Amino acid sequence: MLQLILGGARSGKSRLAEKLASDSAFSVIYIATSQALDGEMNQRVAQHQARRPTEWGLIEEPVELARVLRENAAAERCLLVDCLTLWLTNLLLLDDSRRLALEREQLLDCLDGLPGEIIFVSNETGLGVVPLGELTRRYVDEAGWLHQALAERCQRVVLTVAGLPLTLKGTAL
């Protein structure tokens, strides 16, 4: 089963995804896409680590998400990817402008054949004003297009607001 959990900053999306992974009764591998490049991000990473059960596996991969999913998906396994918008940011900041399209295509192409359960967490950033700056506008556009393509492929899509899940597609929580 493929699930997409969307929400704003501090909306409860990661906590919901972690609960769904724990409730799956599968072994869990947490796939972290962030890069702790400053003190504030180190604190965020530490908060996420403190919440996770110690028996969960961890893979840190900021760019090659499709490869990691193909290598680790299994029938009795839950992969929790947190988060897609950090992954997207990592790709946007690379010197190779073609890499984003390549990695996005590989991600979308690999999903149909993956066994087990996969939960994607992502920030919904398209609900506000159009941002200033070319890179920021591109980020919002790319995130929106990625979310639409993933939502089409996922069996369940949930939007979290103030810690409350609203099921947009699939079986309600």
Side-chain angles (χ1 to χ4, degrees), residues 140-156:
V140 170
D141 289 347
E142 293 289 349
W145 293 325
L146 177 63
H147 293 161
Q148 289 180 52
L150 273 173
E152 187 177 297
R153 290 163 173 80
C154 287
Q155 288 79 37
R156 180 185 291 147

Side-chain angles (χ1 to χ4, degrees), residues 11-134:
S11 64
K13 62 190 175 296
S14 292
R15 282 186 194 268
L16 174 61
E18 292 162 5
K19 181 180 181 330
L20 292 171
S22 289
D23 291 350
S24 73
F26 293 159
S27 65
V28 177
I29 297 177
Y30 187 98
I31 301 171
T33 63
S34 69
Q35 298 180 84
L37 301 176
D38 59 43
E40 187 269 340
M41 193 58 160
N42 282 326
Q43 290 176 338
R44 286 177 180 262
V45 168
Q47 288 172 347
H48 280 258
Q49 289 172 336
R51 273 199 324 249
R52 290 196 302 263
T54 56
E55 66 270 11
W56 284 12
L58 172 65
I59 298 172
E60 295 175 336
E61 178 49 57
V63 174
E64 296 181 1
L65 184 54
R67 177 188 57 78
V68 169
L69 292 174
R70 284 190 307 270
E71 290 175 357
N72 292 281
E76 298 295 317
R77 182 173 292 152
C78 177
L79 303 178
L80 194 167
V81 178
D82 199 352
C83 96
L84 288 174
T85 43
L86 286 173
W87 173 73
L88 180 64
T89 299
N90 297 335
L91 289 165
L92 282 169
L93 295 176
L94 291 176
D95 288 333
D96 184 355
S97 61
R98 298 168 302 196
R99 191 73 185 270
L100 171 61
L102 175 68
E103 292 294 334
R104 181 183 182 276
E105 182 180 333
Q106 288 179 5
L107 172 64
L108 296 173
D109 287 349
C110 82
L111 295 178
D112 284 341
L114 295 177
E117 185 166 342
I118 301 172
I119 302 169
F120 294 102
V121 176
S122 199
N123 289 291
E124 180 51 66
T125 58
L127 298 175
V129 298
V130 176
L132 296 175
E134 181 183 347

